[in-house]
């Protein structure tokens, strides 16, 4: 998977490649789909949600520029796979999910795989996690109409926020917001297709 889908497409961040080699992706999908776990596409995880394509996880992680020991907020735990990749890089991960069965299943996986540095919360992630703010990195793995204001408020300086944003619900632009010296700059990293970010500051 890493050689054919990620390395070959130009992702060279060694820490990201190492994490993608290490995390057992088949344990983050239903048993019936385990034979497809390492294939080059997203997979359903129930409740109308998906685990992203491996390449998209690697690309999002690379553009987030995560370093060991950083405090990272993820919105949209889903299967827990992206959070596990961030934890494998050595980040302190805070991840929020709004669908209870997904939240519960992800928690079980984190315990089973001994990812004790991942903290989970069942809530509307468009509100962020104010009690734990600020965060050096924020990653949103669902697509909303705009950048939720609370997330930008909870981003430290310096800090990076990566989020798919689009007014058309079928696809989004992947934005990277970088805060430095009190200023926030925006970069468009390309088109992506994520499930809806649902909530007070989402759809
Ligand atoms: N990062 C996940 C991808 C899951 S898909 C993984 O690695 O598997 C996106 C997830 O975002 C879904 O589980 C969906 O329920 C969740 N989501 C959507 N809106 C949300 C919100 N406002 N707060 C928290 N989670 C949300």
């Amino acid at each position: 998977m890493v050689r054919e889908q990620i390395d070959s497409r130009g992702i060279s961040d060694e820490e990201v490649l190492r994490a993608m080699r290490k995390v057992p992706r088949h344990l983050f999908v239903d048993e019936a789909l385990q034979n497809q776990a390492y294939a080059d596409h997203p997979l359903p995880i129930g409740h109308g949600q998906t685990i992203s394509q491996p390449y998209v996880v690697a690309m999002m992680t690379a553009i987030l520029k995560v370093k060991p020991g950083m405090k990272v907020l993820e919105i949209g735990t889903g299967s827990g796979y992206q959070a596990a990749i961030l934890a494998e890089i050595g980040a302190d991960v805070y991840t929020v999910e709004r669908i209870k069965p997904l939240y519960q299943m992800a928690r079980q996986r984190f315990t089973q795989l001994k990812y004790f540095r991942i903290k989970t919360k069942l809530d509307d992630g468009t509100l962020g996690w104010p009690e734990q703010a600020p965060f050096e990195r924020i990653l949103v793995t669902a697509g909303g109409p705009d950048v939720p204001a609370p997330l930008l408020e909870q981003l430290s300086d310096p800090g990076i926020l990566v989020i798919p944003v689009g007014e058309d619900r079928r696809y989004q632009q992947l934005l990277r917001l970088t805060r430095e010296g009190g200023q926030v700059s925006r970069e468009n990293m390309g088109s992506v297709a994520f499930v809806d970010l649902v909530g007070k500051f989402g759809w």
Side-chain angles (χ1 to χ4, degrees), residues 49-50 74 76-79 82 97-99 124-125 141 196 198:
Q49 310 304 319
T50 56
E74 182 202 21
T77 314
S79 69
Q82 173 74 71
E97 171 58 53
R98 58 180 285 276
I99 299 178
D124 173 5
T141 61
D196 282 354
V198 180

Side-chain angles (χ1 to χ4, degrees), residues 23-24 27-28 51 74 76-88 93-97 102-121 129:
V23 178
L27 298 183
F28 290 82
I51 176 173
E74 182 202 21
T77 314
S79 69
Y81 180 68
Q82 173 74 71
I85 294 289
L86 295 167
E88 198 59 62
V93 184
Y94 294 78
T95 182
V96 186
E97 171 58 53
L102 293 177
Y103 157 82
Q104 287 171 326
M105 234 183 316
R107 278 174 66 94
Q108 281 177 16
R109 290 177 179 128
F110 299 151
T111 305
Q112 182 198 348
L113 295 168
K114 302 193 167 60
Y115 286 118
F116 301 123
R117 294 175 82 166
I118 304 177
K119 307 280 187 290
T120 56
K121 182 174 172 163
W129 194 328

Side-chain angles (χ1 to χ4, degrees), residues 47-100:
H47 310 275
Q49 310 304 319
T50 56
I51 176 173
S52 299
Q53 177 190 6
Y55 171 72
V56 170
V57 174
M59 182 264 291
M60 301 265 282
T61 311
I63 67 176
L64 196 63
K65 301 185 195 167
V66 188
K67 300 282 174 282
M70 277 186 172
K71 198 168 178 181
V72 181
L73 174 66
E74 182 202 21
I75 307 306
T77 314
S79 69
Y81 180 68
Q82 173 74 71
I85 294 289
L86 295 167
E88 198 59 62
I89 291 175
D92 288 320
V93 184
Y94 294 78
T95 182
V96 186
E97 171 58 53
R98 58 180 285 276
I99 299 178
K100 194 168 185 186

